[in-house]
Amino acid sequence: MTIAANIQQVKQTIMSACADAGRQDKVTLVAVTKYHTVAEAQAVFAAGVTQLAENRMPGLLEKQTALPDPKIDWHFIGHLQRRKVKKVINNIAYLHSLDRLDLAKEIEKRAVQPVKCFVEVNVSGEASKDGVALADVAPFIKKLATFSKIKVVGLMTMAPIDADDPTLHQLFKQLRQKRDQIAALHLPYAPCHELSMGMSRDYRIAVLEGATFVRIGTALFR
Ligand SMILES: *Cc1c(COP(=O)(O)O)cnc(C)c1O
């Protein structure tokens, strides 16, 4: 199938999941181009997707240079090393991987304006994964109160690749409940209305559980 047809199919799946869940709010499709060429990223944009994501600095800079259109919002979704913050942070619309205080400090130092960040949460507790533990999310976000350059727009997670459907429902639901808890604190720097969850394998379940941003790579390019 073509990229445009894949995009249509993913959008259909999102719409049907929203209908099944009785949702009327919006789900933003973020296209993950990390394993794909500039030409493929251009095809995604040409098909009408304006939210593009990369997980490493070189890939981000390469795609941004090739696609300088101001209509594109760039999302950084990978582990961000402190020494790379300077080159990345002022060129993106969203950071999906705020996961530690020393990263927040570096962003505070390097950003010229507030950055929309998702706090990455390790809901499943896998040792190999980045992210703040579920129990540490509220204390972590409270520590960000003095950071003028960080705006916590929501929470992000990645589910384990081998999780079955009931487990996926449960993990995504736990993130949604945590999001609701944080939003209820009404912190001015952490409105926390958004949920970045769902990848090619599991986005239908993520949308059923309330995802407002899905990050899709593989399903757009097969
Ligand atoms: C690669 C990646 C995705 C997309 O994964 P697919 O399975 O290709 O859809 C989403 N989120 C993050 C953080 C990623 O690294």
Side-chain angles (χ1 to χ4, degrees):
M1 283 213 296
T2 65
I3 287 172
N6 287 334
I7 290 170
Q8 277 324 110
Q9 186 158 68
V10 168
K11 285 185 175 171
Q12 279 297 331
T13 302
I14 292 171
M15 272 166 39
S16 88
C18 282
D20 288 351
R23 290 183 55 181
Q24 251 112 58
D25 58 333
K26 184 164 155 253
V27 178
T28 299
L29 169 59
V30 180
V32 180
T33 55
K34 65 187 183 197
Y35 297 137
H36 300 278
T37 62
V38 160
E40 288 171 301
Q42 274 159 342
V44 169
F45 179 50
V49 177
T50 56
Q51 308 299 305
L52 301 187
E54 286 283 325
N55 69 335
R56 297 186 61 242
M57 184 183 78
L60 177 73
L61 300 183
E62 184 202 16
K63 299 283 193 334
Q64 287 184 322
T65 305
L67 287 93
D69 198 305
K71 285 196 282 294
I72 299 175
D73 279 337
W74 295 96
H75 297 242
F76 195 87
I77 60 171
H79 180 79
L80 183 55
Q81 293 166 286
R82 274 177 53 196
R83 63 193 167 83
K84 305 224 167 121
V85 167
K86 190 163 63 141
K87 282 230 171 99
V88 166
I89 207 69
N90 293 307
N91 301 317
I92 56 174
Y94 292 91
L95 175 70
H96 290 246
S97 50
L98 178 59
D99 60 354
R100 56 200 200 280
L101 209 55
D102 75 333
L103 177 58
K105 286 180 185 162
E106 189 65 15
I107 293 170
E108 184 69 11
K109 206 193 297 183
R110 303 294 184 185
V112 298
Q113 53 187 28
V115 181
K116 287 182 264 184
C117 297
F118 290 86
V119 170
E120 181 170 356
V121 185
N122 184 353
V123 184
S124 61
E126 287 173 287
S128 61
K129 274 220 167 75
D130 290 328
V132 179
L134 211 44
D136 297 333
V137 173
F140 176 69
I141 289 176
K142 284 176 187 166
K143 284 189 195 138
L144 301 173
T146 57
F147 290 60
S148 63
K149 300 291 169 42
I150 290 184
K151 181 163 183 160
V152 179
V153 296
L155 305 181
M156 176 275 210
T157 199
M158 285 174 82
I161 42 174
D162 56 355
D164 59 16
D165 287 5
T167 306
L168 289 169
H169 276 282
Q170 201 214 354
L171 294 172
F172 292 145
K173 186 177 177 172
Q174 284 176 287
L175 193 70
R176 184 184 76 220
Q177 289 169 338
K178 185 57 69 179
R179 189 269 319 259
D180 293 345
Q181 274 175 29
I182 304 295
L185 299 173
H186 298 291
L187 304 170
Y189 62 93
C192 205
H193 295 311
E194 310 295 349
L195 275 177
S196 170
M197 58 189 196
M199 303 169 38
S200 295
R201 201 179 319 105
D202 55 21
Y203 70 96
R204 186 167 201 288
I205 292 174
V207 171
L208 288 172
E209 294 297 346
T212 62
F213 286 70
V214 291
R215 311 176 309 269
I216 313 284
T218 314
L220 302 183
F221 300 102
R222 50 187 162 219

